[in-house]
Amino acid sequence: MTTTISPTHRLSAVTATARPVAALAAVVGQQRHARLLSAADDFRTRFAGHTIWTVSSTASGGGVAEMLQGLVGYVRDLDIDIRWLVIGADPGFFAVTKHLHHLLHGFPGRLRLGPDTAAHYEDVLADNAQDLIGRVHPGDIVLLHDPQTAGLAPWLTHAGVHVVWRSHVGTDLQNAATRDGWAFLRPYLQHADAYVFSRRAFIPAWLPAERTRVIPPSIDPFAPKNRELSPDTVRALLGAAGLIDAPVTAPPVYPRRDGGSGMIARRATVVAESLPGPDEPLVVQVSRWDPLKDMAGVMRSFAEYVAPHAPGRLMLAGPALVSDDPEGALVRAACVQRWRGLPRQFRERIVLASLPMDDVDENAVLVNALQRHAAVVTQKSLAEGFGLTVAEAMWKGRPVLASAVGGIPDQITEGTGVLLPDPSDLSAFGVALCGLLSDPATRERLGAAAHERVRTAFVGDLHLSRYAELLTALLGVVPGG
């Protein structure tokens, strides 16, 4: 057993501020709110004296971290002991897990899995496991998120805790890549007590059906990324961050998660001939700099099929840096190179923006403002686990044009947005985008329906109620049994 833990392989705690569950009643209605409180009361009674531990690979920069900020905050307000930890790892580890991410989406990736990669993966997680075992107690529940944490499961089972592995990735169609990815993870996952997926089609056939659940992701309507902003505030925020050409007479103030106020202190890193004007129609895609988000494909489609025929500009916005995504800098650099190779008349219509990540709330409110300012939001992904940026834009009443991959069709139903069956069809994407840009009435109709779709199906109370059901059932099972 490892006795010396590398300082880079040590867990770190994340502070998630308690969020008032009572506020959700105004959004979801009293009946749903009461159902959540009842489920929480039952679970709290059964779980007294124990702790829920949720373990992820990063505290910011992705949908998992954003969801956890809200969900952990609401659970704390429900007076249930929950702690959030982030694993410590080196770039080599994250290169392996990024490769697994691609495999589980059905893409081959750039590495070859073998004894050396497995050994490094296990060594890093063995160190994290020793740290974690020193914190947990028998009967606790540990929620492990995604491939980065799967290797912790065997250690935790032996420590007498309940282990749930939560996958936020997957694809409907299995192929050689997905088989390789699941084959790598299977020896670790077989030690978990339960499994949670975003879609039923993502569940590998070898997992026992009675131990799997489907729980779709959710948004937090009161998070800085989703809460209401006035049009004037939106323009001021984007102007202060250097994302649009709008005058800023005073630093705009925005609400922070802890109840305080913040001001934009950093400017985005922008590649553009000029900034969009405040009244120009703006097409926005906000994604990680990830090849599966196909930012380059969006840019090419806009240049070839939209810019010659329709007004407006395109903005591709991603994070400045995400610790568990080593490909991000390479993908962004490739996009910049492609942009520089475009004719000037098309470069003038396209903006590449890297949003500052130093302050999580500041980054979130800039994404919020960008989505609210957009005439159309796109998500032309080649693959998605769920694609929660779609629900976030829909919540803001934006018409969304997206690929029919992963969990996106679960979000965009008939009349709530536009789905494209082939994510590689740049012409169809461009034609659909031109149609939306030229039809304000359709954009307004789709946006209103989109907001209601999210309110009905993807707000956090439903997410927590489903977890309460799963975890309550788990308490009657012997850990590792």
Side-chain angles (χ1 to χ4, degrees), residues 183-195:
F184 181 92
L185 293 172
R186 186 171 182 172
Y188 315 112
L189 295 181
Q190 65 186 4
H191 294 272
D193 299 296
Y195 310 89

Side-chain angles (χ1 to χ4, degrees), residues 62-64 66-67 101 105 166 168-170 198-199 202 216-219 225 286-288 292-293 371 377-394 400-403 405-412 419 454 458:
V64 176
E66 289 165 3
M67 271 194 297
H101 170 86
H105 280 114
R166 190 352 171 170
H168 299 272
V169 298
S198 298
R199 304 192 80 208
F202 291 175
S218 63
I219 69 157
K225 193 174 187 180
V286 181
S287 299
R288 282 191 179 207
L292 298 184
K293 308 301 182 183
Q371 290 177 329
V377 173
T378 70
Q379 193 60 58
K380 203 192 83 61
S381 299
L382 303 177
E384 278 290 355
F386 195 76
L388 199 60
T389 52
V390 171
E392 291 162 356
M394 292 171 71
V400 180
L401 171 63
S403 307
V405 297
I408 293 177
D410 295 342
Q411 299 168 76
I412 299 179
L419 284 174
V454 174
F458 300 112

Side-chain angles (χ1 to χ4, degrees), residues 249-316:
T249 56
V253 175
Y254 64 88
R256 299 183 64 86
R257 284 173 297 163
D258 61 6
S261 297
M263 293 188 295
I264 299 298
R266 302 160 188 85
R267 292 174 69 85
T269 301
V270 173
V271 176
E273 294 290 344
S274 63
L275 293 178
D279 298 315
E280 286 186 271
L282 192 64
V283 177
V284 172
Q285 178 159 315
V286 181
S287 299
R288 282 191 179 207
W289 299 106
D290 183 315
L292 298 184
K293 308 301 182 183
D294 199 23
M295 299 282 234
V298 177
M299 179 165 50
R300 181 180 165 192
S301 177
F302 187 88
E304 294 183 11
Y305 300 105
V306 180
H309 309 292
R313 300 249 211 139
L314 169 68
M315 181 174 289
L316 301 174

Side-chain angles (χ1 to χ4, degrees), residues 35-78:
R35 205 156 51 230
L36 172 62
L37 295 183
S38 176
D41 286 344
D42 181 50
F43 178 79
R44 189 189 309 110
T45 300
R46 295 169 183 264
F47 196 59
H50 294 291
T51 300
I52 298 174
W53 303 84
T54 189
V55 185
S56 66
S57 63
T58 182
S60 62
V64 176
E66 289 165 3
M67 271 194 297
L68 288 177
Q69 285 287 352
L71 295 175
V72 172
Y74 286 126
V75 172
R76 286 187 170 163
D77 189 57
L78 290 166

